[in-house]
Amino acid sequence: MKVSSLFLFSALLLLDTAAASPSAKPGKKKKKDWGNKKPKNFIMVIPDGFGPTSELMARDYVHWKDNSTTMLPVDGLIIGQTRTKSSDSYVTDSSASATAYSAGIKTYNGGVGVDSTFTPYATVLESLSLQGFKTGLVVTSRITHATPASYIAHTHHRDLESNIALQLIGHAHPLGRRVDLILGGGSCHFLPSTTPGSCRPDSTDAFTLAKGLGYNVFQTRSEFDKNPKLPYLGLFTRDHMSYEIDRDSAKEPSLKEMAIRALNDLYSATRKSKQGFFVMVEASRIDHAGHANDPVAHLHDILAFNEAMDAIREWIDGHEDSPTTMVATADHECGGLTVGGDIPQDPSYWYAPSWFAGSRASAGVLAKRFLAFTGSDEEKKKFLREEVLKPYGISDATDAEIQEAAKITSSGKLETWLGKAMGDRARVYWSTGGHTGADVTLYGYGPKVEEFAGHRENTEVADFIVDLFGLNLESVSRKLRKNQTWVDEWVKPAKGETMKASVHGH
Amino acid sequence: MKVSSLFLFSALLLLDTAAASPSAKPGKKKKKDWGNKKPKNFIMVIPDGFGPTSELMARDYVHWKDNSTTMLPVDGLIIGQTRTKSSDSYVTDSSASATAYSAGIKTYNGGVGVDSTFTPYATVLESLSLQGFKTGLVVTSRITHATPASYIAHTHHRDLESNIALQLIGHAHPLGRRVDLILGGGSCHFLPSTTPGSCRPDSTDAFTLAKGLGYNVFQTRSEFDKNPKLPYLGLFTRDHMSYEIDRDSAKEPSLKEMAIRALNDLYSATRKSKQGFFVMVEASRIDHAGHANDPVAHLHDILAFNEAMDAIREWIDGHEDSPTTMVATADHECGGLTVGGDIPQDPSYWYAPSWFAGSRASAGVLAKRFLAFTGSDEEKKKFLREEVLKPYGISDATDAEIQEAAKITSSGKLETWLGKAMGDRARVYWSTGGHTGADVTLYGYGPKVEEFAGHRENTEVADFIVDLFGLNLESVSRKLRKNQTWVDEWVKPAKGETMKASVHGH
């Protein structure tokens, strides 16, 4: 979402959210009454690495910009909080958390759809698919990344993304093709190692395999716009899709566009059947901006998440013939974000979201732009001031800052430097380049969601879906485990292989 | 609460919380059904400076200690989140936030029961008292501190605590004595300047004035234990009461003891009347430990808050003849607390609450203990290791650490140093010595509380109470404002006086 569209976006909030949400004025609550309806469909939304303060930081920016005090779309959908720890740490990674959400088990950081003995556990997506539901995965990261992987793949470590790609499309999955709709980034794990830009260690052509399994495969926005038929696999970028603030809408659809397309396609495909659909939508890169300690990229991906959530809520309201329940919750906080610092003049406590108003690109993109620039020292400093700091929103850089930044020779370090320069101005701080243990906010909408309100362990998200649809994950797990060759080859570490690499930067 | 009692405390949780709270297993929810009952009484609980991560930090400690995964008492009472900003900053102080909770208005940081033009606004406590409700204020800070002050006093700056003391008891309040029950610390603002330990700038004896206004006045635990009759004013300490971890139970009651005493006394006093009671209970010093960046003192005051909340919930359940609604929410986050850091070995993401197990005193008390110690350099280092770091929970201090700490000559600096030494071990970090803008968790229990669920602006807390009891705050505000002499003398800044001091460390 571009900044200019925020005005309309916020105006809509004033009209919509109060009436539709549980957060209207006391005594004036008009929550949509779903009666005793059971849902036909389920939407799981995961804003990755999105802590409570991420939302606050974005909301205060909108408040400053619009001189408003309204809620953002997801605020109106709050139903509780989620506890996130994994089986081996008070601070989870994305794969352990997504495995809790998908399979209802606690596992170690790094584990994908397996427990700490590498035993595979069936997911709600697999179980619903076997029952005839249509399924989808929609993300802005590589589609083989930890969160989507944990809904369909089973392997001892999240970094095995080329393995995950083949499980995802059903080629290396004991239950065959189980995902009908796939949208996101990460084509590199589908291209054979002989193709430039591939990340595969082998010559397997996963796109060709996917076609053989029935998928319509596409890699461009223009093909996406031609409304391909299910099942489809659309990957728009080699690596992760762009941060929202950097996104070229001619090349990559927004999270909202992908989510609504997914809902419409899954709805059409299940309109006449008793079974509905299940889709997992991930706002993947809120997390990456947290790891990079880049408040600007973080902010705009949060706004894009809010916009997608508002559209999803609206979609649910508009499709009462196919009742849909939605639960959204982050997998963990990222970066240890805090907002507000002490300043020596009144008011002593202060956060200044106005600093974000001038931002036009992420710190990562700008840092790479600078390192690609060649010129004299003076030209470099001018470029830094005009073409890096200014588009990042910093127009008052001191000479000392320019001097310091000009010396940086790694784009990762310049990315962090830019984030800190912005943070010091806006009074936005990060405590880590990794995750924290913070509880995350639990959101929900649609039939039966009140029954899930409260403080929840992350595994209870899967329990809720199991209860809603009467699933038997155990029996599906047994089917997975029966295939010993698959377990040995695709799930477990090879003999002598390190159990797991350390999990950094995800 | 002492560490040893936590075992029983947590065992109780397993039995109680799931059944009584909105957070039981999906499909097994057994929320207490209050039907259409209207509450007779209202309890407002404010854990000052208590962010979402404060609760997480404490819960994980209990999980580690008990090898459990259960919720803490307040987790089961979550109903939403509260937005906290003030009229002049995205980061509020306690007086602006408490004024939002008490009077339903946004004011500037530092303002107590007034808006930014220094116009007084009536509070729910004042309004309910005028309607015949009994009222109480129970805190662990000085009773004249910003949060309790904002329920009964009206003045342009929170630092005017000697002024606030006289409004509190009704001596300098246009509506006369309106608080029937007062428990907390801070007798220094009641003692005439001629008495040692007084903080008053004048020779006014506020305790004698209070007696003249009908209060039973006491300053010891033994008098508290003799069940004094209402109205009473019991202040146990000159300054704030002790942190829970430092509390001498022979001298100071716990927050839970004071809260339950208050509920029982207010219940008895209103048993036969149509009007019930209103009480504000503040877990005041969670905030102070946040300002000091002392995770140990923070932890134990959070556990004491949870224990008090569990007792309050139980009290409400046990008094169905006098239906009581309780809302609890912090006024703001404090310290920018985050929990979890990256470490070079597996699991990379880590928080180690086990470090808190050895803590026996707050950093503040231990820092003062060290600075009072006299001896040779070697004796000082030994004292530091054995009598300061060990009781703080740090038994593995390096020689370099001892060397560094031994050089510190200010107790405030040593307090922060101890907190950081503990934090670096446990992987608990603070970003500021002040507040942050974080949304805080909203808790509730009792009749009608579901109607208040959701994402709330802090002013809506007052709106909710106004709606529940049909109050007319405007008419009470007019009564206040009519007394122009009082407004000029007690509320407004004197001509030429600085509007407000900067607000630090509260």
Side-chain angles (χ1 to χ4, degrees):
Chain A
M1 182 172 43
K2 295 296 169 283
V3 171
S4 58
S5 72
L6 268 172
F7 288 91
L8 177 61
F9 169 49
S10 299
L12 284 172
L13 291 183
L14 281 164
L15 299 172
D16 283 0
T17 325
S21 82
S23 298
K25 271 259 172 188
K28 293 181 193 161
K29 193 170 51 167
K30 267 193 206 163
K31 224 182 347 185
K32 183 144 191 154
D33 189 7
W34 301 95
N36 243 336
K37 237 175 214 173
K38 272 197 71 172
K40 181 179 178 183
N41 317 306
F42 197 92
I43 305 170
M44 178 76 201
V45 184
I46 303 181
D48 198 299
F50 172 77
T53 295
S54 305
E55 176 70 5
L56 176 280
M57 185 186 83
R59 188 194 312 118
D60 277 352
Y61 170 67
V62 174
H63 285 186
W64 169 81
K65 208 174 48 55
D66 299 350
N67 196 21
S68 69
T69 58
T70 186
M71 295 184 290
L72 296 195
V74 304
D75 296 329
L77 305 175
I78 184 174
I79 59 168
Q81 276 170 358
T82 310
R83 305 186 291 283
T84 67
K85 71 174 172 230
S86 66
S87 71
D88 67 344
S89 178
Y90 290 95
V91 184
T92 191
D93 86 315
S94 290
S95 64
S97 184
T99 298
Y101 290 154
S102 68
I105 61 160
K106 290 280 185 185
T107 193
Y108 60 90
N109 285 359
V112 173
V114 298
D115 71 5
S116 52
T117 67
F118 315 125
T119 305
Y121 279 75
T123 72
V124 291
L125 183 149
E126 290 166 331
S127 178
L128 285 164
S129 171
L130 285 182
Q131 293 205 6
F133 282 64
K134 295 290 177 191
T135 67
L137 295 171
V138 176
V139 305
T140 52
S141 65
R142 295 192 298 270
I143 191 68
T144 49
H145 214 235
T147 306
S150 301
Y151 275 84
I152 185 63
H154 307 268
T155 189
H156 69 280
H157 201 274
R158 54 181 285 166
D159 285 354
L160 303 170
E161 293 187 47
S162 293
N163 166 339
I164 289 164
L166 301 186
Q167 296 196 45
L168 168 72
I169 58 173
H171 172 75
H173 198 295
L175 306 176
R177 197 192 77 214
R178 303 267 56 106
V179 194
D180 302 291
L181 182 158
I182 302 171
L183 290 171
S187 58
C188 78
H189 286 287
F190 293 75
L191 299 170
S193 55
T194 46
T195 304
S198 163
C199 323
R200 292 198 65 86
D202 56 33
S203 59
T204 305
D205 179 344
F207 279 136
T208 299
L209 291 175
K211 284 175 197 163
L213 286 154
Y215 282 105
N216 284 310
V217 173
F218 54 92
Q219 296 184 63
T220 62
R221 159 132 218 174
S222 60
E223 287 166 285
F224 171 80
D225 288 337
K226 282 181 204 144
N227 291 317
K229 296 280 163 283
L230 291 182
Y232 58 70
L233 165 62
L235 304 181
F236 302 96
T237 49
R238 286 278 194 272
D239 195 354
H240 303 305
M241 292 177 73
S242 301
Y243 285 127
E244 179 60 22
I245 196 170
D246 300 323
R247 184 171 63 86
D248 177 349
S249 61
K251 291 186 177 160
E252 302 174 42
S254 68
L255 181 66
K256 171 182 155 180
E257 288 173 310
M258 293 195 292
I260 295 303
R261 165 67 65 81
L263 298 187
N264 286 332
D265 288 350
L266 292 166
Y267 168 75
S268 299
T270 56
R271 205 164 183 176
K272 289 174 184 159
S273 74
K274 216 184 126 208
Q275 288 80 16
F277 64 81
F278 172 90
V279 62
M280 193 285 290
V281 176
E282 187 193 29
S284 317
R285 304 209 65 203
I286 296 172
D287 182 63
H288 301 160
H291 283 293
N293 291 0
D294 176 358
V296 168
H298 198 61
L299 167 69
H300 288 274
D301 268 45
I302 292 162
L303 294 174
F305 159 65
N306 269 274
E307 201 181 23
M309 285 283 283
D310 206 34
I312 290 170
R313 181 196 53 70
E314 202 173 51
W315 189 94
I316 292 173
D317 281 343
H319 292 77
E320 290 193 45
D321 60 313
S322 190
T324 305
T325 298
M326 185 265 286
V327 163
T329 184
D331 44 359
H332 51 72
E333 199 270 353
C334 183
L337 178 69
T338 59
V339 154
D342 229 356
I343 48 173
Q345 69 267 36
D346 275 331
S348 324
Y349 299 141
W350 195 237
Y351 159 48
S354 52
W355 278 98
F356 294 128
S359 303
R360 298 288 173 265
S362 71
V365 157
L366 293 167
K368 286 198 189 100
R369 185 186 294 176
F370 176 68
L371 290 179
F373 178 79
T374 50
S376 69
D377 274 11
E378 276 321 296
E379 284 166 339
K380 277 171 93 171
K381 283 181 190 166
K382 195 182 165 200
F383 186 83
L384 199 54
R385 190 182 286 280
E386 297 298 325
E387 304 298 330
V388 177
L389 282 153
K390 266 197 189 158
Y392 194 58
I394 299 176
S395 301
D396 67 340
T398 63
D399 290 342
E401 283 182 312
I402 297 288
Q403 208 101 22
E404 189 181 292
K407 283 186 207 142
I408 299 173
T409 54
S410 120
S411 68
K413 279 188 185 151
L414 184 55
E415 183 180 16
T416 314
W417 186 92
L418 285 167
K420 190 172 180 319
M422 174 59 87
D424 287 345
R425 285 166 166 83
R427 307 217 166 240
V428 167
Y429 306 103
W430 308 86
S431 66
T432 175
H435 301 166
T436 71
D439 294 335
V440 291
T441 309
L442 177 64
Y443 306 100
Y445 196 66
K448 302 283 178 195
V449 89
E450 318 77 43
E451 294 181 11
F452 196 54
H455 216 284
R456 299 293 176 179
E457 197 68 38
N458 53 7
T459 50
E460 289 185 79
V461 171
D463 298 345
F464 178 55
I465 301 170
V466 163
D467 286 356
L468 271 183
F469 296 99
L471 305 182
N472 184 343
L473 294 188
E474 254 315 291
S475 84
V476 184
S477 292
R478 277 193 299 272
K479 279 184 195 159
L480 292 173
R481 293 167 201 162
K482 226 167 49 187
N483 192 327
Q484 190 62 49
T485 320
W486 171 74
V487 170
D488 288 340
E489 197 170 333
W490 296 89
V491 182
K492 292 198 170 185
K495 221 174 167 177
E497 189 181 356
T498 308
M499 183 187 110
K500 47 181 175 136
S502 71
V503 176
H504 276 286
H506 300 285
Chain B
M1 183 171 40
K2 294 296 169 280
V3 172
S4 58
S5 72
L6 269 172
F7 289 91
L8 177 60
F9 169 49
S10 300
L12 285 173
L13 292 184
L14 281 164
L15 300 172
D16 283 359
T17 324
S21 82
S23 299
K25 272 259 174 188
K28 294 183 191 158
K29 193 170 51 165
K30 270 195 204 161
K31 222 178 354 180
K32 184 144 190 152
D33 188 8
W34 302 95
N36 242 336
K37 237 176 214 174
K38 273 198 71 173
K40 181 180 178 183
N41 316 305
F42 197 92
I43 306 169
M44 179 75 202
V45 184
I46 303 181
D48 199 299
F50 171 76
T53 295
S54 305
E55 176 71 4
L56 177 279
M57 184 186 85
R59 188 195 313 118
D60 277 352
Y61 171 66
V62 173
H63 285 186
W64 169 81
K65 206 173 50 53
D66 298 350
N67 196 22
S68 70
T69 59
T70 186
M71 294 183 291
L72 296 195
V74 304
D75 295 330
L77 305 175
I78 185 175
I79 58 169
Q81 276 171 358
T82 311
R83 305 186 291 282
T84 68
K85 71 174 171 234
S86 67
S87 70
D88 67 343
S89 178
Y90 289 95
V91 184
T92 191
D93 86 314
S94 290
S95 64
S97 184
T99 299
Y101 290 153
S102 69
I105 61 160
K106 291 279 185 185
T107 192
Y108 60 90
N109 285 0
V112 172
V114 298
D115 70 5
S116 52
T117 67
F118 316 125
T119 305
Y121 278 75
T123 72
V124 291
L125 183 148
E126 290 167 330
S127 178
L128 285 164
S129 171
L130 285 183
Q131 293 206 5
F133 282 65
K134 295 291 176 187
T135 66
L137 294 172
V138 175
V139 304
T140 52
S141 64
R142 295 191 301 270
I143 192 69
T144 48
H145 214 235
T147 306
S150 301
Y151 275 84
I152 186 62
H154 307 270
T155 189
H156 69 281
H157 200 275
R158 54 183 285 167
D159 286 354
L160 303 170
E161 294 188 46
S162 293
N163 166 340
I164 288 163
L166 301 186
Q167 296 197 45
L168 169 72
I169 58 173
H171 173 75
H173 197 296
L175 306 176
R177 197 193 77 214
R178 303 266 57 105
V179 195
D180 302 291
L181 183 158
I182 302 170
L183 289 171
S187 58
C188 79
H189 286 288
F190 293 76
L191 299 170
S193 56
T194 46
T195 304
S198 163
C199 323
R200 292 198 66 85
D202 55 32
S203 59
T204 305
D205 180 342
F207 278 136
T208 299
L209 290 175
K211 284 175 196 161
L213 286 154
Y215 281 106
N216 283 311
V217 173
F218 54 92
Q219 295 184 65
T220 63
R221 158 128 219 176
S222 60
E223 287 166 286
F224 171 81
D225 288 338
K226 281 180 203 144
N227 291 317
K229 296 281 162 283
L230 292 182
Y232 59 69
L233 165 63
L235 303 182
F236 301 96
T237 49
R238 286 278 194 272
D239 195 353
H240 303 306
M241 292 177 72
S242 302
Y243 284 128
E244 178 60 22
I245 196 170
D246 300 323
R247 184 170 64 86
D248 177 348
S249 61
K251 290 186 177 160
E252 300 175 41
S254 69
L255 180 67
K256 172 183 155 178
E257 287 173 312
M258 293 195 293
I260 295 304
R261 165 67 64 80
L263 298 187
N264 286 332
D265 288 350
L266 292 166
Y267 168 75
S268 299
T270 55
R271 205 165 183 175
K272 289 175 186 156
S273 74
K274 215 184 128 209
Q275 288 80 15
F277 64 80
F278 172 89
V279 62
M280 192 285 290
V281 176
E282 186 193 29
S284 318
R285 305 209 64 204
I286 296 171
D287 182 63
H288 301 160
H291 283 293
N293 290 0
D294 175 358
V296 168
H298 198 61
L299 168 69
H300 288 275
D301 268 44
I302 292 161
L303 294 174
F305 159 64
N306 270 275
E307 200 179 26
M309 285 283 283
D310 206 34
I312 290 169
R313 181 197 54 70
E314 201 172 52
W315 190 94
I316 292 172
D317 282 342
H319 293 77
E320 291 193 45
D321 60 313
S322 191
T324 305
T325 298
M326 185 263 287
V327 163
T329 184
D331 43 359
H332 50 73
E333 199 268 355
C334 183
L337 178 69
T338 58
V339 154
D342 228 356
I343 49 173
Q345 71 266 34
D346 274 330
S348 324
Y349 299 141
W350 195 236
Y351 158 49
S354 53
W355 277 99
F356 294 128
S359 304
R360 298 288 172 267
S362 71
V365 157
L366 293 168
K368 286 201 188 98
R369 185 186 292 176
F370 176 68
L371 289 180
F373 178 79
T374 50
S376 68
D377 274 10
E378 277 320 296
E379 285 165 339
K380 277 172 93 170
K381 283 181 191 167
K382 195 182 164 201
F383 186 83
L384 197 55
R385 188 181 288 279
E386 298 297 325
E387 305 297 330
V388 177
L389 282 152
K390 266 198 189 157
Y392 194 57
I394 299 175
S395 301
D396 68 339
T398 63
D399 289 342
E401 282 182 313
I402 298 289
Q403 209 100 23
E404 188 180 295
K407 282 185 207 143
I408 299 174
T409 54
S410 122
S411 68
K413 279 187 184 150
L414 184 54
E415 184 180 16
T416 313
W417 186 92
L418 285 167
K420 190 171 179 320
M422 174 59 86
D424 286 345
R425 286 167 165 83
R427 307 215 168 243
V428 167
Y429 307 102
W430 308 85
S431 66
T432 175
H435 300 167
T436 70
D439 293 335
V440 291
T441 309
L442 177 64
Y443 306 99
Y445 196 67
K448 301 284 177 195
V449 89
E450 316 80 42
E451 294 181 11
F452 195 54
H455 217 284
R456 298 293 176 179
E457 198 68 38
N458 53 6
T459 50
E460 289 185 79
V461 171
D463 298 345
F464 179 54
I465 300 170
V466 163
D467 284 357
L468 271 182
F469 295 99
L471 305 182
N472 184 343
L473 293 188
E474 254 315 292
S475 84
V476 183
S477 291
R478 278 194 296 272
K479 279 184 195 158
L480 292 173
R481 293 167 200 162
K482 225 168 48 186
N483 193 327
Q484 191 61 48
T485 320
W486 171 74
V487 170
D488 289 341
E489 195 171 335
W490 298 88
V491 181
K492 292 198 171 187
K495 220 173 167 176
E497 190 180 352
T498 309
M499 184 187 108
K500 47 180 177 140
S502 71
V503 176
H504 278 287
H506 300 287

